[in-house]
Each structure stands twice: as C-alpha cells, then as structure tokens.
C-alpha cells in the first residue's frame, strides 16, 4: 500500500511589505505519497522557499491544514508544535538548500556523522555515503577545502545517510555550474528512486521539473 507522506490543504501565507499585506501562497493544496517526487516551480518570488519552509515547520502558514508523516498541524503554534516539527526535521525530513549547510569546523565525514547521530541512526555507513556520492577521498577535508559541487554532494550524503522519509530540496543546484548541477541532480534522483523516499524539489529549471512525478507551478495558482 502506498503511504501518504504529506498532505496540505488550503494553505495561505501573507507577508507585509511596509503596511501592505502581500499574499505569497493562496489556498494552496498538494499531496505526496511514498517514493514520489514533486517539482515546485515559479519565477523568483513566487513562494517556493516559503512553501518549503512551511512544509518543514520553519515557517507557519496563516491558515490551512498540513499533515506530514502522520503528524497533523492545523495552525496551532506553541512549544509542543515546535517540538513535534523539530523531531520530524531531526529524524525524518532531510532538507537541502542552495548552499550546503555544513558545519565549517567539522570534516565532511564528521558532518555526515553528526547529522546521522542527530537522526538517531547508526554511524557505521557514513563513509560509504561519501563514497557513493563520489567524494570518499575527501572525507577528512573541511568544507572550505572543497568545491561548491563537492560541498553539495556532502550535503546529499548527510541527507541520505539519515534515511529520511522525505527530502525537501530548495534549488539545491542553483549555485553550481550547469555540468556539476546535472551530476548532482542525477545523483539526487538516482538515490531517491533507489531508497524510495519522497522528494519535493523547488527549481526554476523546467527540464528538471519534468523529471519529477508531479509538478506544481506556483506562478499559476488558482485564485482563492
Ligand atoms: N520573512 C519574510 N518577510 C517578508 N517577506 C518575505 C519573507 N520571506 C519571503 N518574503 C517574500 O515572499 C515572496 C516569496 O518569496 P520566496 O518564498 O523566497 O520565493 P521564491 O523562493 O519562489 O523565490 C517574495 O516576495 C519575498 O520577498
Ligand atoms: Mg527561493
């Protein structure tokens, strides 16, 4: 049976620019099942990063219902809600940003180990994940001693090593040259298919979006 990883219904989000409210997400609904991928596209400023942040609890919607990995969130704020989100992010949701979010004082291998430890997973396979991503020989290097593409591979190693149920990737190759971006994206899709986790990928690359099972264009949402 396919399990529902995520379901969002009627999400709304406004920010304020001066005194003026600016609607960023309006009556937005989406769903994702186990092993599926969903591309979020839309011009810069269309709300991709805001939606990714809402889907992992870093930002709260103004209204709407959200169920992520069996946990229901319906706009209730407070410490308990924050703790539930923090636990999901630590253990089950891998987030990848445009710039790899590595601890500068730790080697690539220790970055992977730290992430895995936080997720409560076994550290034994960490080096294998760097090998799988083609950066095994760089395990002892620090983030500022490797290239942007290698850092982003390390970020992917961190995320897959924690065995997430869901990966949220916000323009993960946006800072890389085209060739490196294609390599890193290929690895992301291969590993996602092999390990069967869900993937939500924000991108402005339409070609990339066609490689996902589903596609949601935030530039063309129906009016609320
Ligand atoms: N914390 C914030 N405060 C005010 N406005 C914000 C904030 N975060 C995002 N925005 C605005 O919301 C809109 C959507 O931004 P964002 O989600 O970053 O879009 P995208 O990722 O598609 O480029 C933009 O107009 C942006 O300026
Ligand atoms: Mg963005």
């Amino acid at each position: 049976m396919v399990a529902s990883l995520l379901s969002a219904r009627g999400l709304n989000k406004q920010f304020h620019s001066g005194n003026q409210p600016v609607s960023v997400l309006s009556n937005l609904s989406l769903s994702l099942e186990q092993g599926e991928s969903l591309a979020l596209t839309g011009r810069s400023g269309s709300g991709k990063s805001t939606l990714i942040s809402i889907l992992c609890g870093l930002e709260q919607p103004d209204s709407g219902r959200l169920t992520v990995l069996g946990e229901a969130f319906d706009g209730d704020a407070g410490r308990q809600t924050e703790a539930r989100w923090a636990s999901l992010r630590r253990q089950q949701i891998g987030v990848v940003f445009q710039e790899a979010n590595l601890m500068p004082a730790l080697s690539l291998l220790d970055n992977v180990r730290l992430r895995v430890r936080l997720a409560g997973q076994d550290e034994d396979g960490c080096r294998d994940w760097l090998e799988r991503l083609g950066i095994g020989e760089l395990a002892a290097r620090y983030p500022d001693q490797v290239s942007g593409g290698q850092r982003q591979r390390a970020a992917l190693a961190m995320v897959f090593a924690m065995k997430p149920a869901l990966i949220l990737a916000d323009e993960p190759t946006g800072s890389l040259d085209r060739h490196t971006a294609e390599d890193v994206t290929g690895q992301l899709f291969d590993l996602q298919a092999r390990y069967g986790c869900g993937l939500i990928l924000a991108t402005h690359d339409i070609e990339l979006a066609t490689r996902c099972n589903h596609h949601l264009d935030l530039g063309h949402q129906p009016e609320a």
Side-chain angles (χ1 to χ4, degrees), residues 101-107 111 114 142-143 158:
N101 217 353
L102 306 176
M103 302 285 281
L106 296 181
S107 69
N111 266 283
L114 175 64
Y142 291 88
M158 282 165 73

Side-chain angles (χ1 to χ4, degrees), residues 188-204:
L188 174 62
F189 279 118
D190 281 355
L191 292 169
Q192 184 252 336
R194 193 169 339 152
Y195 293 94
C197 44
L199 170 68
I200 296 184
L201 173 69
T203 179
H204 53 253

Side-chain angles (χ1 to χ4, degrees), residues 45 47-50 98 170-171 202:
K48 302 181 294 297
S49 296
T50 301
Q98 184 164 338
D170 191 358
E171 309 217 33

Side-chain angles (χ1 to χ4, degrees), residues 116-132:
V116 162
R117 211 176 306 141
L118 283 173
Q121 297 281 344
D122 190 345
E123 286 178 41
D124 287 351
C126 289
R127 187 176 284 275
D128 296 341
W129 277 105
L130 292 176
E131 299 285 348
R132 240 163 256 156

Side-chain angles (χ1 to χ4, degrees), residues 45-105:
S46 60
K48 302 181 294 297
S49 296
T50 301
L51 180 55
I52 293 266
S53 295
I54 288 174
L55 297 180
C56 62
L58 292 173
E59 193 90 62
Q60 299 302 314
D62 299 325
S63 58
R65 288 211 331 265
L66 189 53
T67 304
V68 182
L69 301 165
E71 295 261 358
F73 300 93
D74 50 11
D76 50 329
R79 257 198 209 156
Q80 273 194 335
T81 302
E82 269 182 36
R84 288 197 294 144
W85 274 120
S87 163
L88 280 181
R89 281 196 301 273
R90 205 167 46 240
Q91 296 173 351
Q92 300 200 69
I93 305 179
V95 188
V96 190
F97 297 101
Q98 184 164 338
E99 299 285 346
N101 217 353
L102 306 176
M103 302 285 281

